[in-house]
Amino acid sequence: MGKSLVYPKLPRSTLNRYKHRGTYDLGQIHSIVNESAVLHVAFPAGPDDPFPAVLPMIGQMGSFEYPSADINEPLDCYLHGYVSSRIMNLARATNGEGENQGLPVCISAAHVDGLILSLTPNSHSYNYRSAILHGYAQVVTDEGEKHWAMKLVTDGVVENRYNNTRVPPNKVEMASTTILRVRIVDGSGKIRDGGASDEKYDREDKELTSRVWTGVVPVWQVMDEPIPAPENEVEEVPEHIRGFIDKINERNKAYARGAAVAGLPKEEKH
Amino acid sequence: MGKSLVYPKLPRSTLNRYKHRGTYDLGQIHSIVNESAVLHVAFPAGPDDPFPAVLPMIGQMGSFEYPSADINEPLDCYLHGYVSSRIMNLARATNGEGENQGLPVCISAAHVDGLILSLTPNSHSYNYRSAILHGYAQVVTDEGEKHWAMKLVTDGVVENRYNNTRVPPNKVEMASTTILRVRIVDGSGKIRDGGASDEKYDREDKELTSRVWTGVVPVWQVMDEPIPAPENEVEEVPEHIRGFIDKINERNKAYARGAAVAGLPKEEKH
């Protein structure tokens, strides 16, 4: 991997609290997004509604123009949804030419990696990785790009799943599915790892330290043994599924456990 | 538990797609929110910014006025954050009297309970539970309510943790923490469970069914064995932590596995 690019620090994307936890690194931010099973996508609901709208969606970072672009390079965010959902209708209404055409959206992703249990409620925390992207969403109209994005999104859920199913999608499937391409204009991430931390006056309070347990509870998302459908006719769970589950479970566990002891001298690591 | 109330069906909160998966039930929606380690809170960023803002936050449903209110009854959403963060400053600027005072926010929560692997990419899905709440956020200024909400939010992360730490928070801690109370005006949820489902023409395609594995991969959030801090002086992990971890792990696993076989005749359940 080459050196990662960074997103511009705009007022809306610049972190003011715990700045040392912030990142503007494309690779880190894109990875947080790609590893999220669900993205929370906010958009302006309309002039008569005071509330922004949020939709949980499935998405992946990618570049149709430069398919070989790696995670550290500028990428679009592709989101998948139903043809007549509100976000798709709003995006369709804003399609057009020019730099800032499209529906302005904010994409939010967050992983909880551990519970930080410390001496006082206020020093409790999570280990986490979160990312925010701002960009303009447009409906993908090019057939080739749409097929490419459907594969990108499907394989983002289970690697290599797309080519292990019945493809290409038929006309009905193509018509009922809409893909949004979000051109990213800025982004930021925030990462917290390590153990519990407390103020000196609490750490020196012997009565307190003798009764309050402190430490980290690692947390991750686990995938269980696959349950075949009653109609399933393939006897063994295929390697593209089994291998993927094992890989993700191992990755998630290793990350959460590693985050819990990050910053400790090596010999103290559990 | 009594009969649950329902939220009003407003245009912005009414589901148009897969309506049978929708719920307006206060109890179901509040539970989805309370079981979420992270809530994604969207708010208008300001008149000069085209993008809505989203902040990952920790929160819990509760009623300070009627503390005995159960999960099926009208509750506020309490969110916890840093005193000078943007959302707190915006909420403070909109504080005042009247029905619709406060910062309009949209709160989004989602759990992934399983991967649905079917014959075609388009019929792939998740088992999931998602919830959206709209409401007006105000900064809590009453000292008693603020203490109460800090306990609510802390115990939402680990049951009974608050009283097992050094409390009450001191002046510095009270000053650096801000609590938002969101008065909810509407909400909706969406729940998908069950197995893979495919179109008849795919299910009858023998070549296809003989090569594509279909079924469900249950997914849940797991908490690992606690890792004590190097400074920790309490030898055993206390029961309020250990018991909580066991309970949540059991609950999450049972839900995800149950969702995977929901709707199947009992004798077919795995």
Side-chain angles (χ1 to χ4, degrees), chain A residues 40 108 213 216 220 224 257, chain B residues 40 108 161 222 224 227 257:
Chain A
H40 295 259
S108 176
W213 187 92
V216 183
W220 66 86
D224 196 23
R257 287 183 173 172
Chain B
H40 295 258
S108 176
R161 181 63 182 167
V222 71
D224 196 23
I227 300 173
R257 286 184 173 173

Side-chain angles (χ1 to χ4, degrees), chain B residues 70-113:
Chain B
D70 81 12
I71 196 84
N72 295 323
E73 293 181 283
L75 299 172
D76 298 313
C77 186
Y78 284 88
L79 300 168
H80 150 283
Y82 183 59
V83 59
S84 64
S85 59
R86 184 164 52 150
I87 190 171
M88 297 304 178
N89 291 337
L90 286 168
R92 213 172 278 115
T94 60
N95 263 15
E97 297 300 312
E99 263 294 287
N100 291 346
Q101 288 298 319
L103 182 69
V105 300
C106 178
I107 300 168
S108 176
H111 304 269
V112 176
D113 301 312

Side-chain angles (χ1 to χ4, degrees), chain A residues 21-235:
Chain A
R21 296 181 186 167
T23 176
Y24 302 89
D25 180 292
L26 270 66
Q28 281 191 307
I29 293 168
H30 296 167
S31 297
I32 292 168
V33 170
N34 279 357
E35 292 177 18
S36 292
V38 174
L39 303 172
H40 295 259
V41 182
F43 54 98
D48 300 331
D49 195 333
F51 299 103
V54 184
L55 199 60
M57 298 182 85
I58 301 180
Q60 281 286 303
M61 309 300 302
S63 172
F64 179 65
E65 281 183 79
Y66 303 98
S68 68
D70 82 11
I71 196 82
N72 295 325
E73 293 181 284
L75 300 173
D76 298 313
C77 184
Y78 283 87
L79 301 167
H80 150 282
Y82 183 57
V83 58
S84 65
S85 59
R86 184 163 52 149
I87 191 172
M88 296 305 177
N89 291 337
L90 286 167
R92 215 171 276 116
T94 60
N95 263 17
E97 297 300 313
E99 263 294 288
N100 290 347
Q101 287 298 319
L103 182 70
V105 300
C106 179
I107 299 167
S108 176
H111 304 269
V112 175
D113 301 312
L115 313 181
I116 308 299
L117 305 182
S118 44
L119 295 172
T120 75
N122 290 62
S123 46
H124 276 59
S125 186
Y126 287 153
N127 279 338
Y128 62 88
R129 290 161 291 154
S130 66
I132 293 287
L133 293 170
H134 294 107
Y136 291 96
Q138 288 194 306
V139 171
V140 171
T141 51
D142 178 84
E143 193 91 340
E145 183 175 4
K146 192 168 173 181
H147 274 120
W148 175 87
M150 285 170 144
K151 181 173 187 305
L152 177 79
V153 171
T154 304
D155 290 347
V157 175
V158 175
E159 263 172 37
N160 299 318
R161 181 63 183 167
Y162 194 80
N163 285 337
N164 281 286
T165 62
R166 192 269 290 149
V167 284
N170 61 32
K171 277 186 184 172
V172 175
E173 291 165 343
M174 288 300 281
S176 68
T177 301
T178 299
I179 299 281
L180 286 179
R181 179 191 53 248
V182 183
R183 188 176 57 75
I184 307 302
V185 293
D186 65 77
S188 61
K190 211 164 173 181
I191 298 171
R192 199 268 188 212
D193 58 17
S197 99
D198 278 290
E199 296 294 336
K200 192 159 181 284
Y201 51 78
D202 286 315
R203 284 186 279 117
E204 288 176 350
D205 179 343
K206 283 293 162 197
E207 183 279 325
L208 182 61
T209 57
S210 70
R211 69 177 171 86
V212 177
W213 187 92
T214 61
V216 183
V217 181
V219 172
W220 66 86
Q221 204 174 47
V222 72
M223 294 188 200
D224 196 23
E225 183 63 24
I227 300 174
E231 309 78 28
N232 171 60
E233 291 170 14
V234 179
E235 205 165 323

